[in-house]
């Protein structure tokens, strides 16, 4: 017995007193996030438990259309800037780990299922570039070339880049009217091309990773790729939602990443209409049209799927409307400030953070009472990205 006790005692002495770290200096990242300050070229590191700002990281370039993905351990945020910058930010030290300028104009990105690769979608010169997530070294360049109607080769803007199961990336070619999959699972990456509708401008992937859906600027309807049955190619859904109606001038394209999936239904922003469309996900038929006060930009479901929060394009962009997903009726109109740009739910959905660019603030609302519970100052805030995204497909 004495030998057993001695052995156990030896196992316990794994750290010397010199290695001790005070508990006050240790924290997780599960309740952290980044708020983009678009005009200042900086991001705020925020704490969603305390509803507080921990610090600011500066020097990230042009963030006029910025987005963020996270490493698997949720310590590092990868910030995609409009100037082609890809910046790796450490949320714990609140510092820039690395930064590369990888193109002339980029429009978002994704991180692979296994966390090894970060891919960036580019407008100039077009195509997609894939980087090592640890070092930001270039791994692969995908030019996204196609043949124009006049027979000449060209390079397309790429949009709607998401990660997908099987270590894949999926993205759309705006100029070519195509959807491509990029399989990074083997030693040699594989690209598969699919013909899509006219001018896909953004896309989403459903939470289970099965359906990739691209919105179309050049026509009514949406392009759907079933990744479980990809041999069927791209199919068209909701083809006639705007038929016979005069489309309004489009001031800002909807952001489809935030499409709401709730109770077997998809809640979709209608391009050029003051409507949120409701589609049955069994057959992707149009079930309903919900009138709203302006052109929707974000249509986002709360984590419990009970509420649909809708933000709008200019000039009606100072309000947010909340829809009950069961009755499909508007239950509240909120006024978070001037030029609302983004919304983000806390991981379990008890609160939602809303940025108001021209009011220089982020307002935190309770999803139970629909009343504000906190306000944080920020320099022209836009995108809000919490680390819970690290464990969610397509975000």
């Amino acid at each position: 017995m004495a030998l057993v006790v001695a052995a156990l005692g030896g196992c316990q002495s794994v750290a010397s007193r010199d290695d001790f770290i005070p508990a006050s200096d240790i924290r997780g990242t599960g309740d952290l996030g980044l708020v983009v300050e678009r005009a200042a070229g900086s991001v705020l590191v925020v704490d969603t438990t305390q509803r507080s700002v921990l610090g600011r990281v500066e020097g990230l370039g042009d963030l006029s259309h910025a987005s963020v993905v996270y490493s698997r351990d949720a310590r590092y945020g990868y910030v995609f800037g409009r100037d082609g910058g890809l910046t790796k930010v450490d949320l714990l030290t609140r510092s820039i780990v690395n930064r590369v300028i990888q193109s002339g104009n980029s429009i978002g990105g994704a991180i692979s299922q296994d966390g090894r690769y970060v891919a960036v979608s580019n407008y100039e010169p077009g195509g997609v570039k894939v980087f090592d997530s640890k070092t930001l070294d270039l791994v692969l360049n995908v030019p996204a070339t196609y043949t124009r109607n006049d027979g000449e080769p060209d390079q397309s803007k790429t949009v709607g880049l998401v990660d997908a199961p099987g270590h894949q990336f999926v993205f759309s070619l705006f100029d070519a009217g195509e959807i491509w999959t990029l399989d990074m699972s083997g030693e040699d990456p594989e690209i598969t091309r699919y013909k899509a509708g006219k001018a896909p401008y953004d896309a989403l992937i459903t939470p289970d990773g099965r359906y990739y859906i691209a919105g179309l600027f050049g026509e009514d309807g949406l392009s759907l790729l079933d990744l479980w049955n990809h041999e069927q190619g791209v199919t068209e859904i909701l083809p006639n939602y705007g038929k016979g109606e005069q489309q309004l001038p489009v001031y800002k394209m909807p952001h489809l990443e935030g499409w709401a999936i709730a109770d077997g239904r998809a809640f979709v922003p209608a391009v050029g209409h003051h409507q949120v469309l409701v589609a049955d996900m069994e057959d992707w038929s149009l079930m309903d049209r919900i009138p709203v006060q302006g052109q929707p930009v974000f249509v986002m479901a709360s984590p419990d799927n009970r509420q649909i929060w809708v933000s709008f394009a200019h000039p009606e962009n100072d309000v947010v409307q909340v829809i009950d997903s069961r009755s499909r009726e508007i239950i509240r109109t909120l006024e978070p400030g001037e030029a609302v740009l983004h919304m983000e739910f806390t991981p379990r959905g008890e609160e939602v953070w809303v940025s108001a660019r021209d009011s220089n603030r982020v307002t935190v609302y309770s999803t139970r009472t629909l009343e504000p519970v906190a306000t944080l100052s920020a320099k022209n805030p836009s995108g809000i990205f919490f680390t819970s995204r690290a464990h969610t497909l397509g975000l």
Side-chain angles (χ1 to χ4, degrees), residues 293 312-313 315-320 334-340:
Q293 64 95 40
F312 300 94
E316 293 95 358
N317 61 343
D318 296 345
V319 304
V320 169
L334 307 172
E335 299 181 358
E338 299 179 12
V340 172

Side-chain angles (χ1 to χ4, degrees), residues 234-394:
V234 172
T235 59
E236 186 179 22
I237 62 174
L238 305 184
N240 298 313
Y241 74 80
K243 190 173 183 179
E245 301 176 18
Q246 182 176 357
Q247 181 169 312
L248 300 170
V250 178
Y251 295 104
K252 183 175 177 63
M253 296 303 296
H255 281 258
L256 304 189
E257 178 193 282
W259 283 6
I261 305 295
D263 195 25
R265 300 175 177 89
F267 293 78
V268 181
V271 179
H273 301 277
H274 292 182
Q275 298 175 347
V276 171
L277 309 177
V278 185
D280 185 338
M281 292 181 64
E282 285 292 329
D283 57 8
W284 295 101
S285 61
L286 183 62
M287 294 180 60
D288 198 1
R289 308 169 188 232
I290 305 173
V292 289
Q293 64 95 40
Q295 293 183 20
V297 174
F298 282 100
V299 177
M300 302 177 68
S302 57
D304 63 3
N305 290 335
R306 288 289 300 276
Q307 299 171 351
I308 311 298
W309 288 58
V310 185
S311 66
F312 300 94
H314 176 84
E316 293 95 358
N317 61 343
D318 296 345
V319 304
V320 169
Q321 293 191 305
V322 185
I323 298 170
D324 183 290
S325 65
R326 295 179 301 173
S327 67
R328 301 199 284 274
E329 294 180 352
I330 295 171
I331 57 176
R332 188 73 65 90
T333 297
L334 307 172
E335 299 181 358
E338 299 179 12
V340 172
L341 291 190
H342 199 237
M343 303 174 291
E344 182 85 335
F345 290 95
T346 50
R348 295 197 179 192
E350 76 283 357
E351 293 175 351
V352 59
W353 292 38
V354 183
S355 64
R357 181 194 63 201
D358 295 348
S359 294
N360 293 299
R361 67 172 180 252
V362 173
T363 303
V364 183
Y365 287 92
S366 165
T367 54
R368 182 178 61 85
T369 66
L370 302 182
E371 296 294 335
V373 294
T375 303
L376 291 77
S377 297
K379 300 176 182 177
N380 302 120
S382 53
I384 304 171
F385 306 92
F386 295 153
T387 54
S388 51
R389 289 170 171 255
H391 313 296
T392 305
L393 275 170

Side-chain angles (χ1 to χ4, degrees), residues 70-91:
Y70 289 99
S71 59
R72 286 167 63 94
D73 61 4
R75 175 172 179 174
Y76 301 103
Y78 299 87
V79 183
F80 307 101
R82 194 59 186 261
D83 57 1
L86 168 59
T87 309
K88 184 176 181 179
V89 174
D90 187 331
L91 275 71

Side-chain angles (χ1 to χ4, degrees), residues 70-140:
Y70 289 99
S71 59
R72 286 167 63 94
D73 61 4
R75 175 172 179 174
Y76 301 103
Y78 299 87
V79 183
F80 307 101
R82 194 59 186 261
D83 57 1
L86 168 59
T87 309
K88 184 176 181 179
V89 174
D90 187 331
L91 275 71
L92 292 182
T93 63
R94 299 192 284 279
S95 63
I96 292 176
V97 177
N98 200 356
R99 174 172 164 81
V100 296
I101 301 296
Q102 55 84 43
S103 76
N105 188 339
S106 62
I107 196 70
I111 189 164
S112 61
Q113 187 179 28
D114 57 6
R116 293 176 59 193
Y117 304 113
V118 176
V120 189
S121 180
N122 291 315
Y123 271 14
E124 294 178 6
V128 167
K129 289 184 179 178
V130 182
F131 297 85
D132 183 288
S133 63
K134 291 184 178 180
T135 64
L136 297 192
D137 291 338
L138 181 64
V139 173
L140 181 67

Side-chain angles (χ1 to χ4, degrees), residues 130-298:
V130 182
F131 297 85
D132 183 288
S133 63
K134 291 184 178 180
T135 64
L136 297 192
D137 291 338
L138 181 64
V139 173
L140 181 67
N141 182 21
V142 182
T145 55
Y146 74 105
T147 302
R148 300 193 314 237
N149 291 335
D150 61 6
E152 293 297 318
D154 206 346
Q155 194 165 342
S156 177
K157 301 180 183 69
T158 53
V159 297
L161 173 63
V162 299
D163 61 288
H167 309 298
Q168 296 184 92
F169 293 112
V170 190
F171 53 94
S172 297
L173 280 65
F174 178 84
D175 303 293
E178 296 179 356
I179 294 172
W180 290 14
T181 60
L182 172 60
D183 187 338
M184 299 290 295
S185 62
E187 292 186 5
D188 297 319
E190 296 183 9
I191 295 173
T192 306
R193 307 181 180 203
Y194 304 89
K195 192 64 181 175
K198 186 177 180 181
Y201 66 87
D202 199 5
L204 67 75
I205 191 167
T206 53
D208 59 3
R210 176 172 182 175
Y211 297 108
Y212 177 87
I213 306 169
L216 304 176
F217 185 64
E219 59 184 282
D220 289 337
L222 311 167
S223 288
L224 179 146
L225 175 63
D226 184 346
L227 294 173
W228 292 8
N229 300 290
H230 58 86
E231 65 280 353
Q232 297 177 0
V234 172
T235 59
E236 186 179 22
I237 62 174
L238 305 184
N240 298 313
Y241 74 80
K243 190 173 183 179
E245 301 176 18
Q246 182 176 357
Q247 181 169 312
L248 300 170
V250 178
Y251 295 104
K252 183 175 177 63
M253 296 303 296
H255 281 258
L256 304 189
E257 178 193 282
W259 283 6
I261 305 295
D263 195 25
R265 300 175 177 89
F267 293 78
V268 181
V271 179
H273 301 277
H274 292 182
Q275 298 175 347
V276 171
L277 309 177
V278 185
D280 185 338
M281 292 181 64
E282 285 292 329
D283 57 8
W284 295 101
S285 61
L286 183 62
M287 294 180 60
D288 198 1
R289 308 169 188 232
I290 305 173
V292 289
Q293 64 95 40
Q295 293 183 20
V297 174
F298 282 100

